[in-house]
Amino acid sequence: SAVISQKPSRDICQRGTSLTIQCQVDSQVTMMFWYRQQPGQSLTLIATANQGSEATYESGFVIDKFPISRPNLTFSTLTVSNMSPEDSSIYLCSVEESRAPTFRYEQYFGPGTRLTVT
Amino acid sequence: ELKVEQNPLFLSMQEGKNYTIYCNYSTTSDRLYWYRQDPGKSLESLFVLLSNGAVKQEGRLMASLDTKARLSTLHITAAVHDLSATYFCAAETSGSRLTFGEGTQLTVNP
């Protein structure tokens, strides 16, 4: 099964700066997603990142704040721009892939990036 | 807009007891997922349910899906301390987008 990694695993950033989070998969996947989990909360989808097209953002999330790149089928980045303390969250990428034994398409999550904005 | 509600949000159980977590979703969904999250960790996929009447079991956990009632349940049998975690259900809509429930924080006490 594919291994999903994220960099950095955690960071502490100052207000007004930007951070780019990387998501790497060791096999080719069509569908990649970025989620946010605010402290003590559930997960919220930020955007869908498909290779060869612009990311599709969910209501409440905009490209200027969360620009996303998807240059190939194994990699994506999410940038959190002009950060404020309210952006302190865990950011997770996920991929849709099929795995043994069912080989049905399911969504799997990376380890997450824990961001603290001071 | 798809909404997903879980209950209870907090669950404290004694070891050896049984309990059920409920997940209601508001509109038609393609798939229903259950995930486990340990503190400071990412999400571990437990079950994906595709069709009405689907039932899946793994160890002390059993998940079921009733698409007509838009309800999924996660049943815990003879709970053990290792099951302490937060459990999320998530309903999938077009484009494989997931909407998550609020999560159920489960604590199993000796």
Side-chain angles (χ1 to χ4, degrees), chain A residues 5-19:
Chain A
S5 60
Q6 286 186 233
K7 289 182 182 180
S9 58
R10 58 178 62 229
D11 208 341
I12 301 173
C13 301
Q14 288 195 332
R15 179 195 298 263
T17 62
S18 298
L19 176 72

Side-chain angles (χ1 to χ4, degrees), chain A residues 31 33 35 37 41-43 45 48 58 90 92 96 102 104-112 114, chain B residues 31 33 35 37 39-43 45 47-48 50 56 88 92 95-98 100-103:
Chain A
M31 307 287 282
F33 307 86
Y35 289 82
Q37 186 176 26
Q41 303 295 314
S42 184
L43 284 81
L45 178 63
T48 303
E58 297 298 310
I90 301 173
L92 301 103
E96 186 182 57
T102 64
R104 291 197 182 109
Y105 279 93
E106 298 182 21
Q107 258 191 63
Y108 298 93
F109 284 80
R114 185 179 295 270
Chain B
R31 284 182 278 195
Y33 289 82
Y35 291 95
Q37 187 177 41
K41 303 291 187 181
S42 185
L43 275 73
S45 179
F47 302 107
V48 57
L50 301 178
K56 291 193 175 181
F88 291 96
E92 182 180 292
S96 302
R97 294 146 60 230
L98 296 185
F100 280 81
E102 304 95 324

Side-chain angles (χ1 to χ4, degrees), chain B:
Chain B
E1 179 188 350
L2 175 61
K3 294 188 188 304
V4 180
E5 293 183 350
Q6 279 181 243
N7 70 84
L9 300 183
F10 298 93
L11 178 56
S12 182
M13 300 175 61
Q14 279 191 313
E15 280 192 330
K17 297 294 187 182
N18 305 332
Y19 210 84
T20 299
I21 300 170
Y22 297 88
C23 175
N24 288 93
Y25 54 100
S26 61
T27 65
T28 302
S29 173
D30 298 326
R31 284 182 278 195
L32 195 293
Y33 289 82
W34 284 96
Y35 291 95
R36 168 180 172 149
Q37 187 177 41
D38 291 292
K41 303 291 187 181
S42 185
L43 275 73
E44 173 191 353
S45 179
L46 295 175
F47 302 107
V48 57
L49 303 167
L50 301 178
S51 58
N52 189 44
V55 176
K56 291 193 175 181
Q57 183 162 5
E58 181 74 33
R60 300 175 188 276
L61 301 178
M62 183 175 70
S64 67
L65 178 64
D66 181 343
T67 57
K68 294 179 182 177
R70 294 180 187 149
L71 171 68
S72 181
T73 61
L74 181 66
H75 187 72
I76 303 154
T77 302
V80 293
H81 179 70
D82 286 351
L83 289 180
S84 296
T86 298
Y87 293 84
F88 291 96
C89 66
E92 182 180 292
T93 55
S94 61
S96 302
R97 294 146 60 230
L98 296 185
T99 299
F100 280 81
E102 304 95 324
T104 297
Q105 189 175 314
L106 171 64
T107 303
V108 181
N109 303 302

